[in-house]
Amino acid sequence: MTKQSLPAVSILSKDTLEDFKTADKVVLVAYLAADDKTSNTTFTTVAEKLRDNFLFGAVNDADVAKAEGVTFPAVVLYKSFDEGKTVFTETFDAETIEKFANTASIPLIGEVGPETYAGYMATGIPLAYIFAETEEERTTISKALKDVAELHRGKVSFATIDAKAFGAHAGNLNLKADKFPAFAIQDTVNNKKYPYDQELEITAETIGKFVAEFVEGKVEPSIKSEPIPETQEGPVQIVVAKNYDDIVLDDKKDVLIEFYAPWCGHCKALAPKYDILAQLYVDGGFTDKVTIAKVDATLNDVPDEIQGFPTIKLYKAGDKKNAITYSGSRSIEDLIKFVKENGKHAVEVTYEEEPAEAEKPVVESMAEQAAAATEAAKEAVEDATEAVKSKATETAEEHDEL
């Protein structure tokens, strides 16, 4: 809220700069000439985009810039950890400055948790996890690996993770989730996992060698996969990690794929409708243009970072790098429309919904209710008649007594 209440870029002077530097854990200050409209616009663009994450300031005084050891145009990221500040040294364009902000704002060896995970993913830099069960052990390992982290800064981010609280995440990185300390690297862009052998000791020397080989492309990713199905028996194509590229990345086809989990109730509810959807394309003779597929994302490594189940994406023919995530209702009609409007082939199939089975009991129930109501009315008439007769008898008896 504080960041949003301030302007995207706060104009600073010599007197306000020092306080601004410590206004948050991370702040970015641009040193720019007031009449340099291009640089000012570029920096403001970045500030508008990242204002929820960082505070942004600007100084137009060349003497203040000189005192900070920079010349126009320049950007300095001030932080309350590590070396205290990092100077931007690359081309002054919005994309490069944004990447600098996301990268330089992360500690040399930070900590992964619910509050920081998204930030690490946003950098696009591989993340090295240090799993340990106690704070003391995490601190000891961090100190031992500090030089390794410094050597590969900007290429690999390092972070500890509490194995007692988040040890299950080790399984997502193809590590054993009950043997710590442990170490693994995740390619955050392609979601590939590189677990370090848990039988080996974690030292500066062994991890240094492992990380160096990873950076050089000499380490093969660990791929968790179910066996490739011997045959595809139903209309929905079964995808596993080992045939993912062959099916999903088939450049000639629009591929709609569901990432599911066996325990997911919404996935179970979708299953029969998804089968019907796939059968429509089979019956229409469109299997050369459209594939309907699904993958158990708990048992197979997939390139995408899946945040929830089910997740449905369309990989368009001729443009597999820009998958489109489906966010509509999970009705057959809406899924058909999604494939038609977003697929390269614009294939449309027709679905005629049969009367829902649920409607039959409702009709029967209404009939039963009508019959029951008739019977109740009949009984009410009879009861009323008896009541009248009874009242007449009582009256007669009363008169006899008189």
Side-chain angles (χ1 to χ4, degrees):
M1 291 298 291
T2 301
K3 295 183 178 70
Q4 282 291 344
S5 65
L6 294 172
V9 179
S10 300
I11 302 302
L12 306 172
S13 66
K14 178 182 178 181
D15 296 330
T16 58
L17 175 61
E18 290 306 316
D19 285 340
F20 190 82
K21 287 180 183 180
T22 58
D24 206 351
K25 288 178 65 177
V26 174
V27 301
L28 288 98
V29 177
Y31 295 87
L32 307 166
D35 58 357
D36 183 352
K37 296 188 182 301
T38 300
S39 297
N40 277 281
T41 299
T42 297
F43 189 69
T44 300
T45 299
V46 177
E48 290 284 4
K49 185 173 182 180
L50 301 180
R51 64 184 303 172
D52 285 340
N53 303 331
F54 311 112
L55 293 178
F56 290 83
V59 173
N60 302 134
D61 189 328
D63 290 335
V64 176
K66 184 177 180 181
E68 291 295 316
V70 296
T71 56
F72 294 163
V75 176
V76 179
L77 183 144
Y78 297 96
K79 47 193 171 184
S80 61
F81 49 86
D82 293 346
E83 69 276 24
K85 74 175 185 179
T86 304
V87 179
F88 178 70
T89 58
E90 300 179 60
T91 306
F92 207 98
D93 64 71
E95 184 178 349
T96 310
I97 295 173
E98 180 183 344
K99 183 178 179 181
F100 165 75
N102 287 327
T103 303
S105 61
I106 291 177
L108 179 63
I109 300 181
E111 183 174 4
V112 175
E115 300 82 15
T116 60
Y117 181 79
Y120 280 109
M121 296 299 107
T123 67
I125 296 174
L127 175 59
Y129 294 82
I130 303 167
F131 285 88
E133 294 183 310
T134 67
E135 185 175 349
E136 181 182 1
E137 192 171 32
R138 291 192 292 275
T139 300
T140 299
I141 297 175
S142 295
K143 288 181 179 178
L145 300 184
K146 182 178 179 181
D147 289 344
V148 178
E150 188 66 63
L151 180 64
H152 298 287
R153 189 165 203 164
K155 297 178 181 177
V156 179
S157 297
F158 282 68
T160 62
I161 181 168
D162 185 343
K164 281 189 176 179
F166 309 111
H169 188 59
N172 297 332
L173 299 168
N174 298 348
L175 288 166
K176 296 176 184 176
D178 59 356
K179 186 176 177 61
F180 302 110
F183 184 89
I185 300 174
Q186 178 186 8
D187 177 344
T188 59
V189 174
N190 300 301
N191 198 29
K192 292 183 178 180
K193 296 85 179 274
Y194 301 80
Y196 176 73
D197 189 341
Q198 287 171 278
E199 301 302 320
L200 299 178
E201 188 178 1
I202 294 177
T203 67
E205 183 179 356
T206 58
I207 296 300
K209 180 181 178 183
F210 180 74
V211 176
E213 290 179 347
F214 166 80
V215 171
E216 294 169 4
K218 296 179 180 179
V219 180
E220 289 295 321
S222 167
I223 299 176
K224 178 171 63 177
S225 178
E226 294 179 283
I228 296 176
E230 292 185 6
T231 57
Q232 295 282 1
E233 297 180 353
V236 177
Q237 294 289 291
I238 304 302
V239 172
V240 299
K242 292 180 178 177
N243 69 358
Y244 186 94
D245 289 359
D246 293 337
I247 295 178
V248 181
L249 302 186
D250 183 342
D251 213 39
K252 297 178 181 178
K253 298 182 181 180
D254 294 325
V255 180
L256 186 75
I257 182 167
E258 174 201 3
F259 299 87
Y260 74 93
W263 44 259
C264 167
H266 293 297
C267 302
K268 293 176 182 178
L270 174 63
K273 292 187 285 186
Y274 206 63
D275 284 340
I276 293 172
L277 175 71
Q279 192 65 53
L280 292 173
Y281 292 97
V282 173
D283 293 345
F286 297 117
T287 54
D288 60 330
K289 293 182 175 67
V290 176
T291 295
I292 307 298
K294 65 180 181 180
V295 58
D296 182 345
T298 68
L299 295 178
N300 297 277
D301 285 337
V302 294
D304 297 84
E305 184 75 17
I306 304 302
Q307 301 296 333
F309 301 107
T311 293
I312 300 173
K313 295 190 176 190
L314 179 69
Y315 287 80
K316 183 178 179 179
D319 186 16
K320 296 295 179 175
K321 291 184 178 180
N322 297 298
I324 305 169
T325 301
Y326 180 69
S327 58
S329 74
R330 299 188 189 112
S331 69
I332 295 172
E333 295 89 345
D334 283 348
L335 287 166
I336 290 172
K337 182 180 179 182
F338 177 70
V339 172
K340 177 180 182 294
E341 292 182 351
N342 295 282
K344 177 181 179 180
H345 300 298
V347 171
E348 182 175 20
V349 293
T350 302
Y351 172 62
E352 296 181 3
E353 185 175 6
E354 297 179 3
E357 287 297 317
E359 289 180 8
K360 187 176 180 182
V362 171
V363 173
E364 291 176 351
S365 176
M366 290 175 65
E368 290 170 358
Q369 289 178 26
T374 301
E375 185 65 25
K378 182 179 178 181
E379 290 176 0
V381 171
E382 292 175 352
D383 289 345
T385 302
E386 286 297 319
V388 170
K389 289 180 180 179
S390 176
K391 185 66 176 177
T393 302
E394 290 175 3
T395 302
E397 291 175 352
E398 290 172 358
H399 284 302
D400 284 343
E401 289 181 344
L402 288 173

